[in-house]
Amino acid sequence: MSLHTVTLLPSGARQMFPWGTLLSDALLDMGVPLETSCGGKGICGRCTVAVGQIPEEVIACRTPLTRDITVRAGQALLEGPVALPAVPGSSALSLAVDIGTTTVRVSLADITRGASFEIASFLNPQRRHGHDVISRIAAARDRSKLRSLQKLLREALSIRIEKALRAMSIEGERIERVVFSGNTTMLFLLYGIDVIPLGAAPYPLRVRDLPVLPARDLGLACIGSAAAEALPVLGAFTGADLVGALALCAGQGIEKNAFFIDLGTNGELFVLDGDGRTFATSCAMGPALEGMSVSWGMTADYGAITRVLEGTAGLEFRMIGQGEPRGIAGTALVDLSAILLEKGVIQPGGAFSSGPGGPPLPAPLTLEQDKGGRHIGLWGRIRLTQKDVRSLQLAKGASLAASLLLLEEAGREPEDIERVLVAGAFGEHLDLDRFRRLGFIPDFPGARMEFLGNTSLQAAARACIDPGFIARAAACRDRAREISLSARPGFQDLFLRSLEFPA
Ligand code: FES
């Protein structure tokens, strides 16, 4: 197999890759902070780079290496973080990092003022080894892929943190601590702890409280002397993100009759029963809600349609930024699917029923047909396909089945639940009524529903500001019981029954 050299300008750094390697993968391997909002589908244009001596722009995720190539920083690489607030020179500072399976987010915590704000987010570059934790654990059996999984994450983190701090004129030495949250697999890969046991029953954990290390030991040279810590984990699939949310709830006095779900590629759930006992589990939802297994899906980033609303003359779209939309975020997918279900365009089984004699499409949607089948045109090039609805159904089926089994394990009925807490890295865009309408969770007739935002990142930021938070989180963890759904008879049947949308 022939090898080709990628050379970065102006640094001159170079590396060889096999023929056919995608330029985006090569650049991520070389630590280039490439934006890949659409997950490499070639639709968002964020991975555009200039290549060659006479610069020519190419979409990196669509460009296989067939020759030696030089790459200059293109528009996507030159853009800095947007509108970061100024931080007083006297403030003590730490970083909070949420390592999601799909998206990694970083906040700066101003300990002196007790405040935090997000300074960076990027798609987890490990996704080239699989979109979910199971496929990454499987990849880690190959030693070269294991090294790659760790290197990709550490380098992307280091580059993003350095870039964000530079943009804010903050010296790395000012960062006192960096606190990580995320699922168990992501944290173990970062720390270099064996993840293979997480892939087979009984899923033993070698460690539940990760050690405090200098950040340089995790490859974060730009903040090398900061103390790196992680929120504690509960089990193989109930990680620091879930434990952090438990501790946040405890801090707000939420102790009984509460149901919590964190929506992501890996969904985490817990139930606090009438006696304050905690039952926790997780389920594989797939990346549809994060915009990744959807034809025109993308993260809630510049150019994304984030909401679909019903107006007097038809549907109205809200997007981040201006101009033609580049894709559709998970929150808009929830909106649109719920509206189309209400109108009978999507049937409870998930199939499109629009067509001659079928229910009319609300303006400005159009029904289109090509050799790939029927799809619905939204705006510009953006389409909703039958396969996209199926991806959403997989997330919904997993979420509902896990919710029902967890309630059963906790000995609770939906009627017993007083508070339903929904978390996820959606910003403020998720419409809870539509989310409920699609049947992602049981109908909790007497419950108050609240959207909490990204509790994983919030918990890591809280741990930066509140010195006792990690110990309290560990105490919450010690009171919780992990339920393994895959070991439960009947889970698969319930999952299949849960795929259907409510009529
Ligand atoms: S990641 Fe390449 S176009 Fe979106």
Side-chain angles (χ1 to χ4, degrees):
M1 181 189 297
S2 57
L3 294 173
H4 296 290
T5 303
V6 175
T7 305
L8 298 182
L9 296 177
S11 72
R14 53 179 56 200
Q15 198 169 317
M16 307 236 282
F17 296 92
W19 183 94
T21 302
L22 282 177
L23 181 57
S24 54
D25 286 344
L27 292 173
L28 287 169
D29 253 14
M30 295 177 80
V32 174
L34 204 62
E35 296 280 356
T36 51
S37 303
C38 70
K41 290 187 295 234
I43 60 175
C44 73
R46 300 284 286 175
C47 65
T48 301
V49 292
V51 301
Q53 296 302 333
I54 302 167
E56 170 202 355
E57 292 209 327
V58 299
I59 304 277
C61 71
R62 296 282 119 175
T63 306
L65 288 178
T66 53
R67 58 191 160 92
D68 292 353
I69 200 165
T70 55
V71 179
R72 295 161 191 272
Q75 187 196 0
L77 305 187
L78 291 172
E79 280 176 1
V82 282
L84 294 175
V87 173
S90 57
S91 286
L93 302 174
S94 290
L95 292 174
V97 181
D98 168 35
I99 307 174
T101 313
T102 299
T103 310
V104 180
R105 293 176 190 275
V106 183
S107 277
L108 182 74
D110 181 334
I111 301 160
T112 310
R113 293 193 294 177
S116 65
F117 51 88
E118 193 170 317
I119 59 170
S121 72
F122 55 97
L123 286 175
N124 188 331
Q126 295 174 330
R127 71 193 183 288
R128 61 182 290 191
H129 295 297
H131 284 289
D132 53 38
V133 289
I134 299 296
S135 44
R136 288 189 206 160
I137 292 170
R141 291 180 186 281
D142 176 328
R143 293 209 70 76
S144 69
K145 287 184 182 164
L146 174 61
R147 277 195 299 278
S148 169
L149 281 162
Q150 187 181 62
K151 181 169 175 268
L152 284 168
L153 179 58
R154 286 181 170 190
E155 287 188 355
L157 258 176
S158 179
I159 288 165
R160 289 313 182 109
I161 288 173
E162 189 174 0
K163 184 178 169 193
L165 293 181
R166 197 181 325 119
M168 301 174 75
S169 303
I170 293 173
E171 299 292 330
E173 299 87 68
R174 283 187 64 193
I175 304 299
E176 297 177 2
R177 294 165 69 216
V178 53
V179 179
F180 294 98
S181 181
N183 65 56
T184 306
T185 303
M186 294 304 110
L187 290 181
F188 278 22
L189 285 170
L190 174 71
Y191 274 73
I193 299 170
D194 187 9
V195 294
I196 305 302
L198 306 183
Y203 314 107
L205 278 194
R206 272 181 48 197
V207 57
R208 298 203 303 168
D209 299 283
L210 294 160
V212 181
L213 301 168
R216 74 171 59 82
D217 287 7
L218 299 178
L220 304 177
C222 59
I223 53 166
S225 56
E229 299 178 57
L231 295 172
V233 307
L234 169 60
F237 296 103
T238 46
D241 38 9
L242 182 141
V243 173
L246 262 177
L248 287 175
C249 287
Q252 291 178 31
I254 302 171
E255 290 171 346
K256 285 183 177 181
N257 298 323
F259 171 93
F260 169 93
I261 183 164
D262 186 353
L263 303 163
T265 304
N266 201 51
E268 285 88 22
L269 305 87
F270 64 76
V271 168
L272 304 175
D273 77 357
D275 301 317
R277 293 179 304 166
T278 307
F279 298 82
T281 195
S282 68
C283 61
M285 294 176 64
L289 287 176
E290 298 190 60
M292 284 303 118
S293 56
V294 176
S295 314
W296 287 85
M298 64 181 286
T299 50
D301 201 345
Y302 190 89
I305 300 174
T306 54
R307 292 297 317 272
V308 182
L309 306 170
E310 286 186 284
T312 46
L315 301 187
E316 296 171 4
F317 302 105
R318 300 280 182 273
M319 66 176 282
I320 300 175
Q322 291 167 346
E324 280 276 305
R326 290 167 157 164
I328 179 167
T331 48
L333 183 64
V334 166
D335 282 343
L336 183 62
S337 301
I339 291 169
L340 295 181
L341 185 67
E342 286 285 348
K343 296 190 178 305
V345 176
I346 293 177
Q347 296 175 330
F352 289 156
S353 68
S354 199
L361 280 170
L365 303 187
T366 52
L367 186 67
E368 299 166 2
Q369 175 95 34
D370 62 17
K371 59 180 185 306
R374 282 193 300 175
H375 48 253
I376 292 172
L378 273 71
W379 178 1
R381 300 175 302 158
I382 315 297
R383 311 265 176 279
L384 177 76
T385 68
Q386 185 67 74
K387 189 166 151 284
D388 300 338
V389 178
R390 298 297 183 207
S391 295
L392 189 71
Q393 274 184 287
L394 290 180
K396 172 250 185 284
S399 166
L400 181 59
S403 304
L404 291 170
L405 277 186
L406 189 62
L407 285 167
E408 188 182 311
E409 198 70 37
R412 300 278 92 186
E413 298 293 335
E415 292 75 16
D416 300 328
I417 298 298
E418 294 162 4
R419 293 180 83 164
V420 173
L421 310 161
V422 181
F426 297 116
E428 295 307 312
H429 307 298
L430 183 68
D431 184 312
L432 284 177
D433 287 337
R434 290 193 164 138
F435 171 74
R436 195 175 193 166
R437 170 71 186 91
L438 289 176
F440 271 81
I441 52 176
D443 196 18
F444 293 103
R448 177 155 60 98
M449 281 189 77
E450 296 160 61
F451 181 60
L452 304 183
N454 183 350
T455 48
S456 182
L457 187 61
Q458 290 167 25
R462 173 59 43 200
C464 290
I465 292 164
D466 175 350
F469 187 84
I470 290 182
R472 293 200 302 280
C476 290
R477 181 271 314 275
D478 292 341
R479 290 194 294 273
R481 193 174 131 214
E482 185 187 31
I483 310 295
S484 171
L485 292 183
S486 56
R488 285 286 308 252
F491 177 71
Q492 277 306 322
D493 286 346
L494 184 58
F495 167 67
L496 291 173
R497 289 200 302 277
S498 300
L499 291 172
E500 184 128 327
F501 293 121

